[in-house]
Amino acid sequence: MPPVQSDLVVRASRAVIGGQEVAASISVRDGRIVAIDFVDAGVPDAALVVELDPDEVLLPGLVDTHVHVNEPGRTEWEGFASATRAAAAGGITTIVDMPLNSIPPTVDVAALEIKRKVAAEKSVVNVGFWGGAVPGNVDQLRPLHDAGVFGFKCFLLASGVDEFPPLTLPELEKALIEIASFDGLMIVHAENAEVIAEAPPAAGREYSGFLESRPRAAENRAIEQVIALSRQTGCRVHILHLSSADALPMIAAAKRDGVRVTVETCPHYLCFAAEAVPAGATQFKCCPPIREAGNREALWQGLLDGTIDTIVTDHSPCTPDLKRFDTGDFGDAWGGIASLQVSLAAVWTEARARGFTLTDIVRWMATNTADQVGMTDRGRIEIGSAADLVVFAPDEKFTVDVAQLYHRNPVTAYDRLGLSGVVRRSWIAGSESSTGRLLLRY
Ligand SMILES: [Zn+2]
C-alpha cells in the first residue's frame, strides 16, 4: 500500500526538535505532525513541499500564556483582531487571554461566553482564556473550570481597574481550597498591598521614584504568602511576571520541597534596566517594575538553573494618552508594556548575547508555557502535535518601528531598539491562512 500523502512537508536544515537543533523533514496531515524524517531521506510525497533557506530555523509556534487583549470593553486599548495579528507576526501561534481589562472581566461563565464569541470572530491565532478570582465569586470557579478556562488569576493588591478587585489573604485561601478540589490552577499577581502602602507613593518624571514605590519586598512578601498557602492547601499555583530576583531562592526551595509552584518572567525584565530608563519614559512603566541591571542578570541565572519556568509577554497595552507623555509622570501613567509582536526577537537578542541557544528559547517560550497550561500537544515539534510552526531567521537584524507593528496603539518600550531575529512565515494547524481556533482546557 502506498504511504498516505501529506498535506505539507517542511524541510529544514535547522529545526528545534526534542531539545536539539537538527536537520529534519516535517510531514503534516490534517493539521497535525505525522512524521519527522531526516532531511536527506528523499523528497516525500506531499501536496506542498517547503524548503527552508539555510539561514532559517524551524521552531514550534510560541505559546504566550499572559496576554491582555482587553476586548470587549476596552477594545481601543487592544482587541482580538490586532492582538492576534501581532502575535502571529511575532511567531506566537497560541495566546491565553487574561481575565481583566476587558469589560466584563472573565469572572463568570456568562462573561466567558461573551469573550469567546468576540474572539471567535476576530482571532487569527489559537486563543484560550483564563478566568478571574475576585471577592465573592468562589462559587463561579468550578463552572468556569468546567466551561474550559485554563485556570484563574487573582491580585493581592489593586489591579488598576475597579471591576477586578484583589483578594484578601483569607479570600485567597478560600479560593485555593476550592480550586484544589478540582485540581485547577491559580495564577497570582504577587505584590503585597501593605508593603506597597508603606513605600513612598509614585510621583514625578524620575524612574527611580516609581521603582521605590514598588519595592522588591512587596513581591518577596506576597510570593512567600502564596507559597505558604499552596503548601497548606495543595493547590497548584503560578507566580506571574516575576521581577524581584530576591525571591528566586525561596521559589527554588519550595519546588525542592514539592510545593506545586511554577513561575514566569517577562521580556522587559530581561531586556531593560532601571538605571537606563529615561526621565518621563512611561512606556517603561509596568507592575511589578523593571529593576536594576544586577537584578536582570539574576533573572537570567534563574532561567539558566530552571527556577524560572517560562517567559511570557504580559502584553498590556493602552491608548497613548493613558501613558501621560504630556507630563511624563510615573505616578499617573498606566502601567503595562506592549510587546506581543517583538517578544521573540527581544528575548532572543538578549539570550544569545549571554550564550543561550534557540533550544532554550523554545523551552521557555513554547514547550514550558504549553505544559504549564496542559497544552501538551503544542509548543513542540513532535509526532502527533499540532502543526503550529514558525520560520525564524535568527541572524537577520531589524530596528523596531512602533508605527509598523500590528499592535493597536503605537506605544512600546521596544521602539527604536535594534534586534536580531525575524519571523518570515508561520503555519497554524499546517495552514498559512488558518485563523486559529478557540481552545478549551484539555
Ligand atoms: Zn498581566
Side-chain angles (χ1 to χ4, degrees):
M1 205 172 77
V4 184
Q5 196 195 45
S6 300
D7 305 324
L8 167 72
V9 169
V10 183
R11 290 157 59 84
S13 58
R14 299 171 65 189
V16 176
I17 300 176
Q20 289 181 299
E21 221 183 79
V22 295
S25 174
I26 317 297
S27 300
V28 173
R29 183 156 25 92
D30 298 331
R32 298 258 153 200
I33 295 167
V34 292
I36 300 173
D37 297 301
F38 295 116
V39 77
D40 55 2
V43 177
D45 184 25
L48 177 65
V49 178
V50 174
E51 190 95 37
L52 300 198
D53 289 342
D55 70 331
E56 295 174 340
V57 186
L58 188 69
L59 309 179
L62 305 189
V63 176
D64 188 346
T65 55
H66 193 152
V67 180
H68 296 268
V69 176
N70 306 323
E71 184 174 9
R74 290 193 178 88
T75 309
E76 69 278 15
W77 292 15
E78 193 71 279
F80 283 99
S82 50
T84 59
R85 193 168 175 218
I92 296 164
T93 51
T94 299
I95 64 170
V96 187
D97 171 58
M98 279 293 165
L100 73 155
N101 300 352
S102 58
I103 303 171
T106 320
V107 295
D108 54 39
V109 173
L112 175 66
E113 289 312 320
I114 291 170
K115 268 217 181 169
R116 289 178 55 83
K117 189 168 181 303
V118 179
E121 288 163 4
K122 299 180 178 173
S123 301
V124 299
V125 301
N126 303 308
V127 180
F129 298 93
W130 294 108
V134 294
N137 86 328
V138 174
D139 61 341
Q140 295 302 314
L141 301 181
R142 186 183 284 267
L144 276 165
H145 176 78
D146 291 341
V149 299
F150 284 85
F152 304 92
K153 180 179 194 177
C154 72
F155 279 74
L156 303 179
L157 80 177
S159 72
V161 293
D162 293 338
E163 69 278 0
F164 200 96
L167 299 181
T168 61
L169 273 190
E171 286 167 338
L172 174 62
E173 182 183 351
K174 217 173 140 193
L176 290 178
I177 291 168
E178 172 67 7
I179 294 169
S181 75
F182 49 80
D183 199 25
L185 170 66
M186 178 72 107
I187 64 176
V188 185
H189 181 120
E191 283 186 291
N192 177 283
E194 286 86 38
V195 175
I196 286 184
E198 286 163 15
R205 292 172 51 82
E206 293 305 319
Y207 186 78
S208 57
F210 172 61
L211 186 57
E212 282 164 27
S213 77
R214 316 282 297 208
R216 297 185 196 204
E219 277 193 88
N220 304 341
R221 179 83 187 108
I223 291 168
E224 188 185 357
Q225 291 170 325
V226 171
I227 287 173
L229 282 174
S230 172
R231 204 185 285 272
Q232 179 192 318
T233 61
C235 189
R236 273 194 302 142
V237 296
H238 175 76
I239 306 299
L240 295 162
H241 43 51
L242 180 74
S243 170
S244 168
D246 293 353
L248 287 169
M250 170 169 55
I251 294 165
K255 286 183 165 189
R256 276 196 300 274
D257 289 352
V259 178
R260 301 167 81 197
V261 57
T262 51
V263 60
E264 69 186 31
T265 191
C266 305
H268 36 274
Y269 305 127
L270 299 168
C271 294
F272 301 124
E275 298 91 327
V277 177
T282 55
Q283 66 271 32
F284 290 90
K285 178 179 176 179
C286 62
C287 299
I290 293 163
R291 304 189 190 278
E292 303 82 350
N295 182 82
R296 176 186 65 196
E297 297 313 310
L299 290 175
W300 280 107
Q301 188 61 36
L303 284 160
L304 175 65
D305 69 25
T307 305
I308 299 176
D309 301 277
T310 61
I311 304 172
V312 296
T313 59
D314 190 7
H315 177 75
S316 184
C318 64
T319 50
D321 58 307
L322 293 178
K323 279 296 190 182
R324 297 306 307 266
F325 295 121
D326 53 338
T327 63
D329 191 313
F330 279 96
D332 298 335
W334 169 258
I337 293 178
S339 64
L340 207 44
Q341 194 170 334
V342 298
S343 63
L344 169 57
V347 175
W348 166 236
T349 300
E350 293 294 318
R352 85 182 317 185
R354 291 169 175 79
F356 293 105
T357 67
L358 284 171
T359 61
D360 298 310
I361 297 290
V362 165
R363 189 172 71 254
W364 298 325
M365 302 182 80
T367 317
N368 285 2
T369 47
D371 285 348
Q372 191 228 329
V373 293
M375 292 183 192
T376 49
D377 65 346
R378 294 184 194 278
R380 72 208 74 208
I381 296 174
E382 209 174 83
I383 291 174
S385 284
D388 299 345
L389 301 167
V390 167
V391 176
F392 188 59
D395 302 321
E396 187 178 337
K397 293 184 167 30
F398 70 103
T399 300
V400 178
D401 176 358
V402 73
Q404 299 297 315
L405 299 177
Y406 294 128
H407 303 166
R408 185 165 183 127
N409 288 291
V411 180
T412 178
Y414 297 87
D415 191 31
R416 309 319 308 165
L417 219 58
L419 299 178
S420 288
V422 170
V423 173
R424 294 201 178 145
R425 61 199 291 188
S426 60
W427 294 268
I428 292 181
S431 163
E432 284 192 279
S433 56
S434 166
T435 55
R437 39 188 282 255
L438 299 192
L439 300 178
L440 301 177
R441 180 179 44 77
Y442 289 20

